[in-house]
Amino acid sequence: MPTVLSINDLAAARRAPAWRDAVCDTFVRLECTPERNAPMHGRIEAGTLGNLHVARVQSSPQQVERTRQRAAQADEAFVLLSVQLRGRTIVRQGASEAVLTPGSIAFYDTTRPYTLTLPSDFDQIVLHLPRQTLEATAPRGLDHMAERLPASDPFAQAVLALAPQLLRIVNTSPSALAERTAAAAVELISLALESLAEGPPYSEDAPAL
């Protein structure tokens, strides 16, 4: 069953630390800094399919940082994929930066520092899987963290179509079907990551289907 974490019923003074704890519990150890001039709200719905973790995150403006210290202290290595549904996210890792708008996606690696800048209310799905899985299935793509696949890209479109359904599958499907769905989703994620190494097959200006 998916887990739902929400700060929306808490007193205002308790929301920022509660949100940081919720984000860290769902993903990896992170620093979350809310926009001071924006009322804070946040909700995470998360579940697991095999070795694939999926979460839908809806919240207010903030900056999220995986610091060098946090990355160095970690015992496990993951790759995260953000699927933007609403609002905008600026993903920065190393020398790369990806500006995500609805329908676009980008990957980032928890073994290295990164920042997510979210300047307005947002809604996104984050897919989270072991780095070693992608080392086996999309090794060249791991050199392309924080690079944007636009909404016009066919792999971005395929991930966008599947990602919102994964939490429904966690909630409603027998475990055997969930495991097979996870395998198919990981294969699609691997193809999307590997496509970054190949270069974009479509113009950024091409309309999404």
Side-chain angles (χ1 to χ4, degrees):
M1 294 288 288
T3 299
V4 177
L5 302 170
S6 176
I7 62 169
N8 297 339
D9 293 331
L10 298 178
R14 295 179 55 199
R15 292 189 178 192
W19 182 248
R20 182 188 63 244
D21 290 346
V23 169
C24 290
D25 288 346
T26 303
F27 303 109
V28 292
R29 303 303 298 177
L30 298 163
E31 303 297 332
C32 299
T33 306
E35 168 58 53
R36 292 182 180 179
N37 297 322
M40 189 172 191
H41 62 86
R43 182 182 186 276
I44 300 173
E45 183 180 5
T48 299
L49 292 164
N51 65 351
L52 176 65
H53 187 75
V54 55
R56 185 166 186 168
V57 186
Q58 299 164 297
S59 191
S60 46
Q62 61 195 266
Q63 178 152 307
V64 177
E65 182 178 10
R66 176 72 161 170
T67 65
R68 189 172 303 278
Q69 181 181 17
R70 293 288 195 193
Q73 291 173 342
D75 295 327
E76 297 179 288
F78 297 98
V79 171
L80 278 64
L81 165 59
S82 282
V83 183
Q84 198 73 21
L85 302 180
R86 181 170 59 89
R88 191 163 63 102
T89 300
I90 304 167
V91 182
R92 297 184 181 93
Q93 186 160 55
S96 298
E97 176 179 295
V99 179
L100 302 186
T101 52
S104 58
I105 68 175
F107 295 82
Y108 39 104
D109 182 345
T110 68
T111 66
R112 298 188 288 126
Y114 63 81
T115 62
L116 308 177
T117 301
L118 303 127
S120 60
D121 283 8
F122 66 91
D123 185 355
Q124 65 178 215
I125 292 175
V126 181
L127 305 176
H128 172 178
L129 68 163
R131 192 181 193 278
Q132 66 180 12
T133 299
L134 295 174
E135 288 172 352
T137 59
R140 293 187 306 154
L142 293 172
D143 294 328
H144 295 269
M145 297 293 98
E147 294 184 15
R148 178 177 182 261
L149 276 179
S152 59
D153 183 276
F155 290 103
Q157 292 176 24
V159 172
L160 178 66
L162 176 62
Q165 307 307 320
L166 292 176
L167 284 171
R168 294 181 61 191
I169 292 169
V170 171
N171 193 36
T172 62
S173 297
S175 58
L177 287 179
E179 291 283 346
R180 292 174 63 186
T181 301
V186 170
E187 180 64 20
L188 176 59
I189 291 166
S190 299
L191 289 168
L193 180 56
E194 192 73 3
S195 76
L196 284 167
E198 298 291 343
Y202 290 91
S203 165
E204 291 262 352
D205 297 327
L209 296 178

